[in-house]
Amino acid sequence: HAGDAARTDLMTITRYVLNEQTKHPESRGDFTILLNHIVLGCKFVCSSVNKAGLAKLIGLAGETNVQGEEQKKLDVLSNEVFVKALVSSGRTCILVSEEDEEATFVEPSLRGKYCVVFDPLDGSSNIDCGVSIGTIFGIYVINDGKEPTVEDVLQPGRDMLAAGYCMYGSSCTLVLSTGSGVNGFTLDPSLGEFILTHPDIKIPKKGKIYSVNEGNAKNWDGPTSKYVQKCKFPDDGSSPKSLRYIGSMVADVHRTLLYGGVFLYPADKKSPNGKLRVLYEVFPMSFLMEQAGGQAFTGKQRALDLVPKKIHDRSPIFLGSYDDVEEIKALYAAEEKKE
Ligand code: P6P
């Protein structure tokens, strides 16, 4: 039976990436090794996040654990795990993490050709109330063999080789694109393997959900205010959209990817560049949205065409269903004409 075949043909993320690798005969498997180390980091963080509540309950967090070590904050711990996993993979040369002010340059003996930009635990302020959080990552390749510098990662998001996120929620789901579509894998804890559960994800062309922090409405610019107003009081007789805002980017983006609609973190008077970071939040999520048939816009341009000046630069972002983002682009274009 087809069902049985599906149940016994376990397409793990490693098998999936190896299959992808066979499409590039010249590849020496470096990307597969790199990805395996990212997956290892995700499995560790998944296990730690699931225990975090318990650790707090039995008083481990914030005190010393059985080894007498100070219990680390989960985002600090997650960052250390990813940095160690990526460096030890021997396939990276520069790492940019939301947790580290400066980029990490891998020592020559362990240096590879990939740059990884990542937020090890985005939304970590939501841990204590059990809201889903996640790891977000993007991968650039650097082939020129010269001494790596920070300019090597200040590249437009369209040059990313791959991007993905791992969401730690009711289940642990890793969503990945290596440039030919988007696939979702769910961790089977009994196997310790990520199994393909969402093959070839495509975002609905138009959605019924908008996702934004309405608490910032006082500070929004004209086009954003007009768009949100249209969502609530449509002038074409259609029904109003639903508002869903979790306040954890990975969770809001994952819902947008699967159900459709649009996620907005606009600029506002207080933060003219918005809040979300270009390299390890905006670029990976925009890459995934485009690969799934959606799009991502900054209010001025295609998000993936942005060129960051600094590794922690921020940008406004409007991403999701193709038609919904088109409406936002039209409102910004009309504003442009007026100026
Ligand atoms: P606000 C979490 O702190 C985060 O970085 C993203 O995960 C999330 O989308 C955003 O900030 C929420 O920001 O200002 O709405 O609380």
Side-chain angles (χ1 to χ4, degrees):
H1 302 286
D4 293 350
R7 263 193 292 281
T8 49
D9 178 21
L10 288 179
M11 177 52 80
T12 64
I13 194 164
T14 307
R15 275 187 62 198
Y16 174 80
V17 172
L18 278 169
N19 290 350
E20 283 295 290
Q21 179 187 315
T22 54
K23 295 176 192 166
H24 307 277
E26 77 290 351
S27 144
R28 294 197 321 264
D30 290 333
F31 182 75
T32 304
I33 291 169
L34 172 67
L35 201 94
N36 276 347
H37 283 79
I38 291 176
V39 165
L40 175 67
C42 292
K43 288 178 186 172
F44 176 91
V45 172
C46 175
S47 142
S48 313
V49 164
N50 289 347
K51 282 187 217 120
L54 192 62
K56 209 167 180 63
L57 193 68
I58 55 180
L60 278 185
E63 288 160 30
T64 55
N65 60 16
V66 288
Q67 285 80 12
E69 294 141 10
E70 177 61 28
Q71 194 70 15
K72 288 191 171 73
K73 274 169 61 67
L74 219 42
D75 40 11
V76 172
L77 182 68
S78 307
N79 186 50
E80 286 178 9
V81 165
F82 274 106
V83 169
K84 287 199 175 88
L86 290 167
V87 169
S88 65
S89 75
R91 298 310 187 274
T92 60
C93 52
I94 309 176
L95 306 178
V96 171
S97 166
E98 192 266 349
E99 287 289 330
D100 296 326
E101 196 47 43
E102 304 301 328
T104 300
F105 292 90
V106 180
E107 53 160 298
S109 65
L110 273 171
R111 205 171 275 169
K113 62 183 179 182
Y114 296 109
C115 285
V116 183
V117 294
F118 62 101
D119 187 346
L121 205 56
D122 181 77
S124 50
S125 55
N126 291 296
I127 292 180
D128 292 350
C129 61
V131 163
S132 299
I133 52 181
T135 298
I136 311 172
F137 61 90
I139 301 170
Y140 289 102
V141 61
I142 293 183
N143 271 319
D144 54 16
K146 69 175 177 37
E147 193 61 18
T149 65
V150 78
E151 276 61 43
D152 291 318
V153 281
L154 298 175
Q155 300 300 321
R158 64 172 181 265
D159 292 346
M160 274 189 178
L161 186 76
Y165 59 79
C166 190
M167 184 171 77
Y168 311 108
S170 49
S171 62
C172 179
T173 305
L174 199 155
V175 172
L176 171 72
S177 173
T178 56
S180 43
V182 180
N183 290 284
F185 302 83
T186 304
L187 182 65
D188 176 339
S190 65
L191 292 177
E193 287 282 3
F194 278 98
I195 309 294
L196 179 66
T197 47
H198 297 72
D200 196 21
I201 300 175
K202 290 294 176 211
I203 183 170
K205 199 161 179 306
K206 193 164 175 49
K208 300 187 178 64
I209 298 169
Y210 74 104
S211 185
V212 69
N213 181 341
E214 288 259 13
N216 298 330
K218 186 164 67 70
N219 299 315
W220 289 339
D221 63 19
T224 289
S225 306
K226 282 197 189 83
Y227 179 70
V228 173
Q229 186 67 6
K230 252 172 73 69
C231 290
K232 298 197 274 198
F233 302 94
D235 50 13
D236 59 0
S238 60
S239 44
K241 291 186 189 289
S242 290
L243 169 59
R244 291 285 183 274
Y245 193 70
I246 302 166
S248 176
M249 187 184 197
V250 173
D252 279 316
V253 168
H254 189 59
R255 184 209 50 250
T256 304
L257 187 65
L258 296 186
Y259 296 177
V262 62
F263 171 81
L264 311 83
Y265 207 104
D268 65 39
K269 293 184 192 92
K270 284 183 310 171
S271 5
N273 286 322
K275 172 182 183 182
L276 300 178
R277 308 284 184 172
V278 174
L279 273 180
Y280 42 78
E281 288 174 324
V282 171
F283 278 170
M285 297 315 206
S286 302
F287 185 95
L288 290 168
M289 280 298 162
E290 290 199 0
Q291 287 290 319
Q295 60 175 324
F297 177 62
T298 67
K300 292 194 172 67
Q301 64 185 103
R302 176 193 180 213
L304 291 181
D305 287 341
L306 257 182
V307 180
K309 292 184 183 49
K310 291 213 170 33
I311 58 174
H312 296 296
D313 273 4
R314 301 170 193 265
S315 168
I317 183 69
F318 306 84
L319 58 77
S321 292
Y322 193 88
D323 292 357
D324 294 331
V325 178
E326 274 302 287
E327 281 183 39
I328 295 170
K329 285 164 69 176
L331 288 166
Y332 272 94
E335 184 80 359
E336 194 85 13
K337 276 206 196 79
K338 271 191 238 161
E339 280 159 13

